[in-house]
Amino acid sequence: KQEVTQIPAALSVPEGENLVLNCSFTDSAIYNLQWFRQDPGKGLTSLLLIQSSQREQTSGRLNASLDKSSGRSTLYIAASQPGDSATYLCAVSSGGGYQKVTFGTGTKLQVIP
Amino acid sequence: DGGITQSPKYLFRKEGQNVTLSCEQNLNHDAMYWYRQDPGQGLRLIYYSQIVNDFQKGDIAEGYSVSREKKESFPLTVTSAQKNPTAFYLCASSIGGGMGNQPQHFGDGTRLSIL
């Protein structure tokens, strides 16, 4: 059974700092890994999707890496801003005839002005 | 703009009552999903549908029911058999067709509470 862990559960950083969020998963047989952002009381917004054959994806100040063999992914946020404050979730798709997706519990990020 | 619309945003359930959460998408996606989110827990899959007129139980289907009569719509009914329904419910869709490498898109959620 796939398990996804995100550590730390919460993180507080000063504005402008570069930071890394971590995601680990137990079964390396994945189709893709997706990073989401969730604002309070809202749904999930997709940030980056990394296919199993890829090592990383970039979008603006965000860079996500994937190391399947070690069961790890990181989300790097450059030059953090107060608007980046949110909960960040990673999710692993294990396929299986339909898109079986397992979510982590998230890292709640606060960027202090 | 294409997207997923969930309604209502807030819903209250009385003892012994069934309530239905709406989910509509105009992304032309085949696959749709219902998740439940509780504080401190990851999203858990309630039901999913790969195509119209077909749906399957997820990990926590007890006390819930769904239908998929139209491609755009995937309503979720929380029945009186669900003893702990208070949670945030999220609907999602993806291109589907067995393509496990496609991203899921989410609605803004419905928060269900007990009266």
Side-chain angles (χ1 to χ4, degrees):
Chain A
K1 177 186 172 187
Q2 179 73 268
E3 292 182 3
V4 180
T5 303
Q6 292 184 251
I7 296 173
L11 181 64
S12 185
V13 300
E15 181 178 2
E17 190 163 297
N18 301 328
L19 60 103
V20 173
L21 305 180
N22 296 296
C23 172
S24 61
F25 48 95
T26 55
D27 185 351
S28 62
I30 66 171
Y31 278 91
N32 62 54
L33 185 145
Q34 197 167 359
W35 281 94
F36 293 91
R37 169 187 172 132
Q38 185 176 30
D39 292 290
K42 296 288 189 179
L44 277 62
T45 301
S46 180
L47 298 173
L48 290 165
L49 174 81
I50 310 177
Q51 303 292 358
S52 63
S53 58
Q54 297 174 322
R55 298 280 297 182
E56 64 178 322
Q57 280 286 333
T58 298
S59 175
R61 293 183 295 108
L62 305 179
N63 176 276
S65 68
L66 174 64
D67 184 343
K68 270 180 51 178
S69 60
S70 67
R72 294 176 188 271
S73 176
T74 61
L75 178 67
Y76 174 82
I77 302 177
S80 58
Q81 303 170 357
D84 295 331
S85 298
T87 296
Y88 291 81
L89 297 158
C90 73
V92 172
S93 173
S94 303
Y98 77 99
Q99 194 173 36
K100 169 64 175 173
V101 179
T102 304
F103 289 81
T105 53
T107 294
K108 186 174 183 179
L109 173 66
Q110 182 182 24
V111 180
I112 303 167
Chain B
D1 278 340
I4 300 175
T5 301
Q6 289 187 241
S7 62
K9 189 171 176 65
Y10 299 97
L11 187 58
F12 298 91
R13 196 191 88 169
K14 295 180 182 178
E15 192 80 26
Q17 186 182 40
N18 293 351
V19 293
T20 297
L21 285 61
S22 170
C23 178
E24 304 277 331
Q25 54 100 358
N26 60 4
L27 299 167
N28 200 33
H29 285 172
D30 282 316
M32 297 187 74
Y33 313 82
W34 273 106
Y35 292 94
R36 170 179 171 140
Q37 186 177 34
D38 294 280
Q41 297 193 40
L43 275 69
R44 292 181 290 167
L45 182 66
I46 304 172
Y47 268 96
Y48 66 97
S49 168
Q50 291 182 266
I51 200 165
V52 175
N53 293 321
D54 179 73
F55 51 83
Q56 304 293 331
K57 292 181 180 179
D59 301 320
I60 54 165
E62 186 174 350
Y64 300 98
S65 66
V66 293
S67 63
R68 187 82 187 279
E69 297 175 1
K70 297 188 297 182
K71 188 175 186 178
E72 315 82 65
S73 179
F74 191 39
L76 173 74
T77 296
V78 184
T79 74
S80 56
Q82 173 49 245
K83 298 307 179 187
N84 184 24
T86 298
F88 192 50
Y89 291 86
L90 288 161
C91 178
S93 71
S94 65
I95 290 176
M99 299 174 69
N101 60 347
Q102 296 301 314
Q104 292 191 355
H105 301 262
F106 283 79
D108 275 344
T110 292
R111 186 164 300 280
L112 176 62
S113 303
I114 294 286
L115 277 179

